[in-house]
Structures are given as C-alpha cells and as structure tokens.
Amino acid sequence: MSPWQTHSALPPTTCALRVALRAEVGGARLAAAPVTPADLADLVSETWRDCVLRQGRPALPLDHLDFSVTPRFADSGRERCHHLAVEVTLPGGERRSRLFSIHSLAPAARRLSQTLVGQGLLAEGQSYCFEVLADPEAAAVHSQPGDVWRVSVRRAPLNYLLVPLAELCNRARLLGADPGAAPPVFYTRKALRRAEDCARQGAGENPPVESGGVLLGVLAACPRTGEMATIVTDVLELHDAEKAARSLACSGPTWDRVQTIMRARQQAYPIRAERLCGQCHGHNFLPHDEAACLHCEKQATCALTSVFVSAADEAWMRSVFVRQPWALCHIFGFSARREPAQTLFTLNDGRWQGRGFHLLEDFDPDQWPFQQASENP
C-alpha cells in the first residue's frame, strides 16, 4: 500500500480545490490548476502534530486516523476560499480541527507560476498573487464539504521519551523570538555549536559554498501536560555532499554514511528513541539589495540577511522528512554587514516559519522512560 491514499467519490478528472494566479490584484486570472493530495501533506501532518501528538495522544499513529479538508469561503459565492479547515477523526469518533490560511498552498501556486513562465505568460521572477477556489462541479457532487478529501496513512509507530517539559524549561534559556504556540524545541549547547560549525564550514572555502548536517535528537512527551517537544542532541556533518554557492545536495555516499551511523546508534542504544529530526545548513553568501543598503549606516541593526527557506530547502525537507511534522530546518547565514545570523524554522500554517528555541546545557536521554506507540491504542 502506498503511504497516501485519497478516497473521493469525484470523477478522476474533477478536483475539489484549485489555485488560480493573477499577475496583479484585481487582474484577470491567468490560469488555474488542481490542488493535489501531495499539496495537502504538510497540512495533514501539522494537524496530526497539533491536534493529536501535542494533546496527550503521542501513542496514536497516523494510520488510526482519518482526515478531511473543508473549504471556508471568503464570500457568499462559495467559490473563493478564505481558509481551509483540516479535521481529524480520532478512534471513538472525536473530531478535532486545525485552520490554515490559503498561504499554506503557496507551493502549489509556485508550481503553477513556473508553468506559466515556461509558457511565456509570466516573466522569470515576476510577482503574482493567487487565490484558492472550490470547484463548483465538486461542490454539486458532495453535499458535505468534508467529503471532498479523505486521507488514510500508514506509518511505523513513534518512539519517544516521557519527559516533564517544565523541568527542561526551568533550566533552559530562550534564544530568538518567543515561539508562542509553536511546539517546544530544545538544543543542547554542544549540538547547537556543532550545527553552526557544520553550517559555516563552507564559508571558509574560496569561493564560499553551502555546507551542513543532519540533526539528531528525540521526541519528548510531557506526562503532565500532554505537550510534545523535539530535543536536538547531536549533529552529523554531511560529508561528500555536492556543494555550491547556493545549493547543497546529498550524494549516495552521504546518505549511506548517515544511515550506517544511525543504524549503529539505534542498535547500540535502542531505548534512547534517537532519530533524525531535521537539518542545518549555511547560506554562506551575503544578501544584496542596493536600495535597502543605501541608508545602512543610519540603521542600528541590519535586518537584511541570507537566512531564509528557499524553494529548494522546502523541497528537500518535504522529500526527506515527509509527514514528520516535528522536523526542524535551521539555517545559518550573514547580514549585509557580514554579521552572523541564524533562524530555526518549523512548520506553521503549512509553511516554514522562523521561531525561537530553548538552549540546554545538556540532556541525558538515558534518564527518561522510553515509550513506543502501540499498534492498537
């Protein structure tokens, strides 16, 4: 069975949701394209994370759940969507939902824009705006909007540790912006130093290239609150990767080495629940924007940096950490003044958004009880 199966009564040629592009607000629609199940993967994963894993149900695997996606309309015309509601049904019938903006489908719009560039309808790099539409034909077929998309998933049960997160927060220091409602993330000091070393290693080459590593850590469920956190404890450098000024690609030997090390560690310490939990890399180039830099000397700080999640970064995270909503993308770079900059990104509203994290002096996984999700919770 494939990891994803969609269950829909729609004819194969009919799609419930579409993205439509305009060259400018109020302009004519240039084209529209269907929203695919793959476009909804991050939304479904994020709903599982926030409505299940972080609500005291870490032992509930994805394959015990059904998801539906319902459009929320911006006007009485019931075509243009304002939000998408992703609802998960738990065993026993309880339903929980997560609301997403249409910006969560930006990758689908970007894919359509690339098609239009190839057709000469958009210029390379030209800005555009998009909207999400509910297909009228699909609405006529389905009396319940929730019937439009249904997804069933098969994945291995989660391994995690039981850790009182309040104790970790009390001995940790917040770095960066307040993460707000985002899931807690902790780094040990050693792991953070290692991540930055791997990411900035390419800055010393001539010319500078991107470099990086994969993040190792554990998932921790709080027995008191039900919250779930990611704790980064180590980093493996990406040796033999294909490095360029603005790209970093893992070769076959790169992944062979990572997988060999992970298998050895997991076999040696099976109850540490250690896993790959993300990646770090360096954008070891300077941002360039002449207009923004004209009055640089008048600014107290430089807000222009090379720290951002590129389309290539999004694609890499989606392919390597597919349906792992705890995955981390940590990017190191520089400001236009050559000052070091960094941001940790996690999924929020179906997009990779920057947030802060907590720094621990150390973390001993052997100190905490090991748990594995039951096949029949």
Side-chain angles (χ1 to χ4, degrees):
M1 179 179 291
S2 61
W4 285 87
Q5 288 190 334
T6 58
H7 303 281
S8 173
L10 291 175
T13 57
T14 303
C15 187
L17 298 173
R18 297 176 296 153
V19 290
L21 261 61
R22 304 175 190 265
E24 58 186 5
V25 176
R29 288 177 185 167
L30 298 177
V35 173
T36 69
D39 294 323
L40 299 171
D42 285 344
L43 280 65
V44 169
S45 294
E46 195 175 329
T47 301
W48 177 50
R49 182 193 70 190
D50 291 348
C51 295
V52 181
L53 299 182
R54 299 181 61 199
Q55 302 299 321
R57 303 295 297 272
L60 189 56
L62 272 171
D63 61 351
H64 286 259
L65 305 173
D66 287 325
F67 295 87
S68 63
V69 180
T70 305
R72 300 286 178 85
F73 297 100
D75 50 46
S76 58
R78 294 185 65 80
E79 180 189 27
R80 188 164 58 91
C81 301
H82 191 254
H83 289 89
L84 297 173
V86 181
E87 184 178 77
V88 56
T89 302
L90 306 182
E94 181 185 355
R95 296 181 178 181
R96 299 173 182 174
S97 64
R98 174 82 158 77
L99 203 62
F100 294 86
S101 74
I102 65 169
H103 300 291
S104 61
L105 293 179
R110 187 184 307 120
R111 185 174 64 245
L112 177 57
S113 74
Q114 292 168 349
T115 299
L116 296 182
V117 169
Q119 296 173 347
L121 298 177
L122 277 180
E124 187 71 43
Q126 180 180 346
S127 61
Y128 58 85
C129 57
F130 75 93
E131 55 193 352
V132 177
L133 309 175
D135 194 311
E137 183 179 351
V141 172
H142 295 277
S143 59
Q144 296 296 325
D147 291 337
V148 172
W149 293 99
R150 290 205 175 276
V151 181
S152 295
V153 185
R154 293 288 183 269
R155 288 198 66 84
L158 281 183
N159 294 335
Y160 57 96
L161 301 180
L162 290 178
V163 182
L165 297 181
E167 294 184 15
L168 294 189
C169 289
N170 288 339
R171 58 187 180 91
R173 179 166 63 94
L174 177 64
L175 296 183
D178 187 335
V185 174
F186 297 86
Y187 259 93
T188 65
R189 183 175 296 278
K190 178 181 177 181
L192 180 60
R193 182 170 58 249
R194 176 69 171 156
E196 184 161 15
D197 287 346
C198 290
R200 298 199 185 281
Q201 185 180 71
E205 299 191 23
N206 187 18
V209 295
E210 291 194 7
S211 56
V214 289
L215 307 177
L216 275 59
V218 301
L219 297 180
C222 182
R224 300 171 185 170
T225 66
E227 179 65 279
M228 176 166 274
T230 303
I231 305 173
V232 183
T233 57
D234 202 356
V235 180
L236 295 181
E237 183 181 348
L238 293 175
H239 289 285
D240 301 315
E242 299 171 3
K243 304 175 182 178
R246 302 207 176 200
S247 67
L248 177 65
C250 294
S251 64
T254 303
W255 278 120
D256 286 344
R257 179 178 181 274
V258 169
Q259 292 171 349
T260 298
I261 293 174
M262 284 305 302
R263 280 195 297 267
R265 293 173 70 135
Q266 290 170 342
Q267 290 172 2
Y269 306 101
I271 61 172
R272 285 186 178 177
E274 192 173 49
R275 65 170 57 243
L276 297 180
C277 58
Q279 57 96 352
C280 61
H281 69 281
H283 287 180
N284 296 314
F285 51 85
L286 297 179
H288 181 69
D289 187 331
E290 291 184 2
C293 293
L294 284 176
H295 305 289
C296 180
E297 71 280 359
K298 299 180 182 179
Q299 306 296 325
T301 60
C302 179
L304 186 64
T305 77
S306 61
V307 176
F308 61 94
V309 178
S310 67
D313 294 334
E314 288 182 359
W316 198 89
M317 292 298 297
R318 189 175 294 114
S319 62
V320 177
F321 295 101
V322 61
R323 300 173 196 99
Q324 298 180 50
W326 50 81
L328 311 174
C329 179
H330 201 156
I331 299 179
F332 296 80
F334 297 93
S335 73
R337 294 177 179 173
R338 299 181 181 273
E339 299 164 334
Q342 62 167 294
T343 301
L344 177 68
F345 296 87
T346 55
L347 275 179
N348 181 23
D349 191 38
R351 298 171 288 161
W352 293 96
Q353 300 196 48
R355 40 78 55 80
F357 58 93
H358 289 85
L359 182 65
L360 292 166
E361 287 301 321
D362 54 47
F363 176 79
D364 180 8
D366 296 324
Q367 179 183 353
W368 307 104
F370 169 83
Q371 297 287 309
Q372 183 177 65
S374 169
E375 291 288 351
N376 297 289

